Structures are given as C-alpha cells and as structure tokens.
Amino acid sequence: MTRKTKRAIFILIFSEFLVCMGISLVTPVMPFLKTELHLSATDMGIMNALFALAQFVASPLIGRLSDKIGRKPVLTVGLLLYMVSEVLFALTNYLWVFDISRLIGGLSSAMVVPTAMALASDITTKRQRAKVIGWLSAVFSGGLILGPGIGGILAGISYKTPFWVSGALSLLSAIVLIALLPSDAENKRVVEEPEQAKTTAHPMSRAFWTLPIIILFTMILVSSFGLQGFESIYSIYVNEVFNFSLSNIALVLTLNGLISLFLQVALFDTMVSKWGERRVIRLCFFLAAICTIWITQAHTKLEVMVATLIIFSAFDLLRPAITTLLTKASETDQGLINGLNMSLTSIGNIVGPIMSGMLLDWNTHVPYLVVAVFLIVSYLMAFLLKQPGKQQSTVN
C-alpha cells in the first residue's frame, strides 16, 4: 500500500468517524431539548426518523453521482453540509429548524459514508479491501458508540456545545480533505485481473442484478433491521424482564463497544483471509439467531449479558463482511452499490425500532422471536452465495 493510499484512507477514516459520531451526538441532549422546549416524545421521534429518511432517499442517488463526477467532490460537499447541519442545530430553538438540521445531516451522511466505502474500494486491491473496509466499519461503529459519550461530556458545558464542536471539526475535516486527499484521477483502482477492466452492465439493467447481489442487499436490510429491532428495545426489555439496572446496561454497552472495535480492527481481516466472507456471514447470522432465542429463554443476568455480547459482535462483523463481498460482486459502480447499501440500512433503522416497539407492547418476547426468524432465513440464504470470483455471472 503506497503512502498516498495510506493518507487517503486515514482521511476517509477521520471523515467517516466525524459524521457517524454526529448521528448519535444528539442522543444525550434529547432530554434537555424535550424539557426546555416543551416537546413531546413524538416530536423527538420524528426528528430522529428524518435523519434516516434523508439517508434512505439520497444514498443511491448520491452513490450514482459519485460514480459519475468522482468521490472527492461528493465527500467535500458532504462534510460542508454536515457542518451546516451541526451549526444550524446549535443556533436554533425551534422544532422545525431542528427537523431541517437533521434532514441536512442525513443528506450529508448519505454523501460521506457510502462514498468513503466506494473510494476505499477504488484505491485498494482485493487482498487489502477486507482490512480497509473492516477499519471503516469499525469507525462507523465507533462513531455511533462514542457519540453519546462525547456529546454527554460536552453537554456539561452547554447542551449546544457538542454541535458547535462537531461543526468546527467538520470544517477542519473538509479543509484537510480538499488539501490532502489525492484527486480522483490519482485514486483509480489498481487493476489486478484483466477481466476487471471490462465494462459491466448498466446498474439499472437486469444484468446488473445478479443473484449474489440481490442476496447480499437482502442481507444488508435484514442485518440492519435485526440490529435495530434488537437494540432499540434492549434496555426496556432487559429492565422489565430481568430487572437490569442502568449500570448493568451501561456495562454491557461499554463491553460491546470495546469488543466491537477489537474484532473489526484486529480480527476481521484474519477471519476473512482464513474462512472467507461467506463463512463469516453464515457464522454471524447463525450465532445472532441462536443467541437472540437464548435471551428469551434465559434465567440469569449473566446469561443475558453473554448472549447480548455475542449478538452485537455478530452484527458488528456481519456488516463489513457483506460490504466486502458486495465490492467484489461488481467491480464497477461502487458508489451506487455503497449508496444502496446505506439506503437499505436506513430502511432497517426506520422499520426495526417501530416494529419492535409495537410488538413489545403486545408481548415482551415476541419482538426477539420475530428478529430470530429473519436471522435464520438469512442464514439459509447465505448458502446460495457463490465464490466472489464466480459472482460476475448474471441472472438470465
């Protein structure tokens, strides 16, 4: 890996961390906003849903745009829009402006996260790609995990401080990206095999939608749906069923963050090299399904904690494994592929919590049993995946 490639990857990691941190930065200040501005829980829920909605609508369009005009301009505009979103949130005390801020934030996330993944695919070889995507996935998780903590610390000064700081860092990141990220002409992927240079079918044509790509996109949707369906009601579920205290929940989430970062940074590349993405995907879906069922049948807090950590670890490995396999399934149109990836993730982020919340009102165990069924179906679907080298065949 050249110095120029390493520098580009470092910039991508920093930019993605910043945006992912911003996604969850609002979490610790929501009670302050709700109380001080006399907002309802519905108001807060809609405000958060708008972020995911903007991601869902914009991601595939932005991904396709980055394939046409290049990654660097899209990343730059995305970071600047992120700055606008954070500053707007810090300046206002009106709900409708908060909503606009979150819409802009979702658009900026749609521009930065999938484009960073696409650029990582452009500038790495197949052998390097699993490692780099593992890093970016770890940053994605790390930003979401550390965002509430950082936001909570900064909110000790003022509940608007996190957004001022985030906006300033975003501007700095945009300046660094403009000055140091190599141009798109310099970022062209090193072609490893003659067949990779061939022009593939148009992404909206039937030939583009090979069976492996359809399966992988389905798995992206199911994994994000499953994670959000599991995570969104987790604290309520374990509190009501197993009498978890806030300290118990905090311990589980903290351990999960540490384990997740270790797995994605230190072990993911080794696991993919040794077993291949397909086996990693099957193992993760299997463990997540079994442990989700285990939680509904558990009798002690220790059982629940162990099962929870296995489930979160499985989800944290699933996403980079599926993403890596997607980048190998089609050697062109990486922006579109990663945009669709983010868009489907957004659907899961919207539908998962709503479904689990409604089912939880009906019966405490039903949400997790439904999630487990989806995970088992995905585990069986994983056996339909072909070797990456054979995934160029089209569906006739």
Side-chain angles (χ1 to χ4, degrees), residues 85-108:
S85 168
E86 297 299 284
V87 170
L88 197 59
F89 205 102
L91 284 173
T92 191
N93 282 321
Y94 294 99
L95 178 62
W96 67 273
V97 184
F98 287 142
D99 289 343
I100 292 174
S101 167
R102 294 302 278 176
L103 280 170
I104 296 173
L107 176 60
S108 70

Side-chain angles (χ1 to χ4, degrees), residues 41-82:
T42 302
D43 293 331
M44 306 306 288
I46 292 173
M47 185 174 72
N48 280 329
L50 287 173
F51 190 102
L53 179 63
Q55 276 186 324
F56 164 63
V57 173
S59 290
L61 302 176
I62 297 299
R64 189 62 180 148
L65 180 65
S66 77
D67 286 332
K68 291 183 176 180
I69 69 172
R71 317 296 187 203
K72 187 173 180 177
V74 174
L75 285 168
T76 303
V77 174
L79 286 170
L80 292 175
L81 281 177
Y82 177 71

Side-chain angles (χ1 to χ4, degrees), residues 26 48 79 172 193 213 245 274 292-293 315-316 340 390:
V26 70
N48 280 329
L79 286 170
L172 175 63
E193 301 165 306
I213 285 180
S245 64
K274 185 175 181 180
T292 300
I293 296 172
F315 279 123
D316 290 335
L340 288 170
K390 300 177 182 178

Side-chain angles (χ1 to χ4, degrees), residues 94-335:
Y94 294 99
L95 178 62
W96 67 273
V97 184
F98 287 142
D99 289 343
I100 292 174
S101 167
R102 294 302 278 176
L103 280 170
I104 296 173
L107 176 60
S108 70
S109 177
M111 298 184 81
V112 173
V113 177
T115 307
M117 289 285 191
L119 182 53
S121 299
D122 290 343
I123 62 178
T124 55
T125 63
K126 279 188 176 182
R127 182 171 297 180
Q128 298 166 342
R129 206 171 304 162
K131 179 186 292 185
V132 174
I133 289 179
W135 291 345
L136 288 172
S137 296
V139 167
F140 187 95
S141 301
L144 295 177
I145 292 167
L146 296 177
I150 294 172
I153 293 170
L154 293 174
I157 303 171
S158 162
Y159 72 85
K160 294 296 186 74
T161 302
F163 304 99
W164 285 116
V165 173
S166 186
L169 288 174
S170 181
L171 178 60
L172 175 63
S173 180
I175 293 171
V176 170
L177 187 143
I178 293 169
L180 298 181
L181 187 70
S183 67
D184 288 288
E186 296 175 276
N187 281 330
K188 286 182 179 178
R189 182 191 295 134
V190 177
V191 178
E192 299 174 289
E193 301 165 306
E195 61 268 27
Q196 291 182 2
K198 293 179 181 178
T199 303
T200 58
H202 189 277
M204 289 298 107
S205 70
R206 186 180 178 187
F208 174 81
W209 293 98
T210 64
L211 180 61
I213 285 180
I214 293 172
I215 293 172
L216 289 167
F217 277 135
T218 302
M219 288 179 176
I220 286 287
L221 177 60
V222 171
S223 61
S224 60
F225 167 83
L227 176 59
Q228 289 302 312
F230 179 86
E231 187 176 14
S232 62
I233 62 167
Y234 179 75
S235 58
I236 300 173
Y237 178 83
V238 295
N239 176 258
E240 291 183 357
V241 179
F242 298 100
N243 296 315
F244 269 46
S245 64
L246 287 176
S247 60
N248 294 147
I249 297 170
L251 174 63
V252 172
L253 295 180
T254 301
L255 287 173
N256 166 64
L258 295 174
I259 293 171
S260 169
L261 293 177
F262 174 74
L263 286 174
Q264 291 180 340
V265 173
L267 291 185
F268 177 70
D269 184 51
T270 302
M271 292 174 68
V272 168
S273 298
K274 185 175 181 180
W275 297 334
E277 292 91 345
R278 295 183 307 148
R279 289 182 181 175
V280 172
I281 290 170
R282 289 201 296 262
L283 177 64
C284 289
F285 272 124
F286 178 78
L287 289 176
I290 294 300
C291 290
T292 300
I293 296 172
W294 182 17
I295 284 181
T296 66
Q297 306 301 313
H299 299 289
T300 66
K301 287 185 178 181
L302 180 60
E303 286 182 80
V304 175
M305 288 182 175
V306 172
T308 300
L309 292 175
I310 294 174
I311 292 168
F312 279 132
S313 297
F315 279 123
D316 290 335
L317 289 173
L318 257 177
R319 184 161 188 83
I322 297 172
T323 301
T324 304
L325 208 52
L326 264 175
T327 65
K328 295 177 180 179
S330 176
E331 289 298 330
T332 59
D333 302 305
Q334 292 296 318

